Structures are given as structure tokens and as C-alpha cells.
């Protein structure tokens, strides 16, 4: 297996996990925080939009100013549509790039960082919805 094939598989796996952890989220739970200093589901999805935007900028050699990104419309339908669009574009950038730095940033931002947020969002889902099956993210 090549490094490229492994990266593609990891992106596919974390894409499935993100899809499953966000599927069926009750909008009443979007702003729940497990602890006051944690991010809510809505805040995490907005944060991931910043990460994908930063990846795109960095792939063009533009420095990203972390923490400056804000989504105007954070309603759930609008935010998730933006999230899906930005994430899909970031994945294409990583999967079609020959630039080692872009590929490494993609591995860090999409594979590792997304997986971290899968865990964070899963914790919220477990806390607010005892009927949610946390093992559903692994049935891929």
C-alpha cells in the first residue's frame, strides 16, 4: 500500500465517522457543552470550517490567521452545508496535490484533527442522547 492509498483510506474512514456522529443530531443539543470551556457541536462544526479554509489558504501559500474565521449563518442547515462543501474542497486539494507540505497538512487537519472532533462530538451525543449508538461510527 502506498502512502497516498493509506491517506485516502484514512480520509474515507474519518469522513464516515464524521457523517455518522453528526447524523440525526437533535438541533436542541447543538449548543450543549459537556463542560463550560468545551466547544458545542455547532462551535466544533464552525471550527472545522475554519480548518478546511486554512488548509485551502495554506495550499496556496497564504498564511491563515487562526481564530479570525466566523460563519455568518450558523443555522444548522446552512452551517452543515458549508461544512460539507469546504471539507469536500479540502479533501480534493489534499488528494490531488503533489506538494508534500499540503499532503502533510491534509493528514494532520483532515485525518487527525477530524478524528479528534469525532470523539468530542461523540461525547456530547452520549451525554445528551442515551439512545444514540456510539458504535455506529465504526460500522464502515
Amino acid at each position: 500500500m502506498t502512502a497516498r492509498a493509506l491517506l485516502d483510506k484514512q480520509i474515507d474512514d474519518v469522513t464516515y465517522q464524521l457523517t455518522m456522529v453528526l447524523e440525526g443530531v437533535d438541533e436542541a443539543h447543538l449548543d450543549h457543552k459537556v463542560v463550560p470551556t468545551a466547544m458545542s457541536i455547532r462551535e466544533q462544526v464552525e471550527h472545522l470550517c475554519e480548518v478546511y479554509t486554512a488548509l485551502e489558504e495554506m495550499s496556496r501559500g497564504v498564511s491563515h490567521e487562526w481564530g479570525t474565521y466566523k460563519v455568518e449563518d450558523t443555522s444548522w442547515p446552512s452551517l452543515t452545508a458549508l461544512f460539507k462543501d469546504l471539507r469536500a474542497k479540502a479533501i480534493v486539494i489534499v488528494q490531488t496535490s503533489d506538494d508534500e507540505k499540503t499532503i502533510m497538512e491534509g493528514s494532520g487537519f483532515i485525518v487527525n484533527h477530524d478524528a479528534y472532533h469525532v470523539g468530542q462530538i461523540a461525547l456530547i451525543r452520549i451525554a445528551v442522547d442515551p439512545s444514540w449508538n456510539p458504535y455506529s461510527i465504526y460500522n464502515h
Side-chain angles (χ1 to χ4, degrees), residues 1 25-27 40 42 45 51 57-59 70 77 84 86 89 93 102-103 105 107-108 113 119 121 124 128 137:
M1 174 180 279
V25 170
D26 185 332
E27 289 193 39
S40 68
R42 187 187 319 267
V45 172
V51 170
E57 291 172 345
M58 293 161 85
S59 76
K70 297 290 181 217
K84 289 174 186 176
L86 291 174
K89 288 176 181 174
I93 288 167
T102 298
I103 294 167
E105 287 167 344
S107 175
H113 188 253
I121 295 168
I124 295 169
V128 298
I137 67 172

Side-chain angles (χ1 to χ4, degrees), residues 47-108:
H47 167 67
L48 290 172
C49 288
E50 177 175 22
V51 170
Y52 308 139
T53 298
L55 180 74
E56 186 278 328
E57 291 172 345
M58 293 161 85
S59 76
R60 294 184 288 111
V62 175
S63 179
H64 181 77
E65 283 196 50
W66 290 99
T68 62
Y69 182 87
K70 297 290 181 217
V71 174
E72 286 185 34
D73 181 359
T74 59
S75 67
W76 194 236
S78 178
L79 183 59
T80 54
L82 178 63
F83 162 79
K84 289 174 186 176
D85 180 59
L86 291 174
R87 189 169 192 280
K89 288 176 181 174
I91 289 170
V92 168
I93 288 167
V94 171
Q95 290 182 327
T96 61
S97 180
D98 291 324
D99 178 64
E100 188 173 297
K101 185 175 183 213
T102 298
I103 294 167
M104 294 299 291
E105 287 167 344
S107 175

Side-chain angles (χ1 to χ4, degrees), residues 29-41 43-44 119-128:
H29 300 146
L30 291 176
D31 299 309
H32 177 82
K33 295 182 178 191
V34 177
V35 295
T37 54
M39 283 191 272
S40 68
I41 293 172
E43 289 170 329
Q44 289 183 69
Q120 294 290 304
I121 295 168
L123 179 62
I124 295 169
R125 297 288 307 267
I126 291 166
V128 298

Side-chain angles (χ1 to χ4, degrees), residues 127-140:
V128 298
D129 182 3
S131 69
W132 181 70
N133 177 9
Y135 296 105
S136 66
I137 67 172
Y138 300 115
N139 295 332
H140 181 52

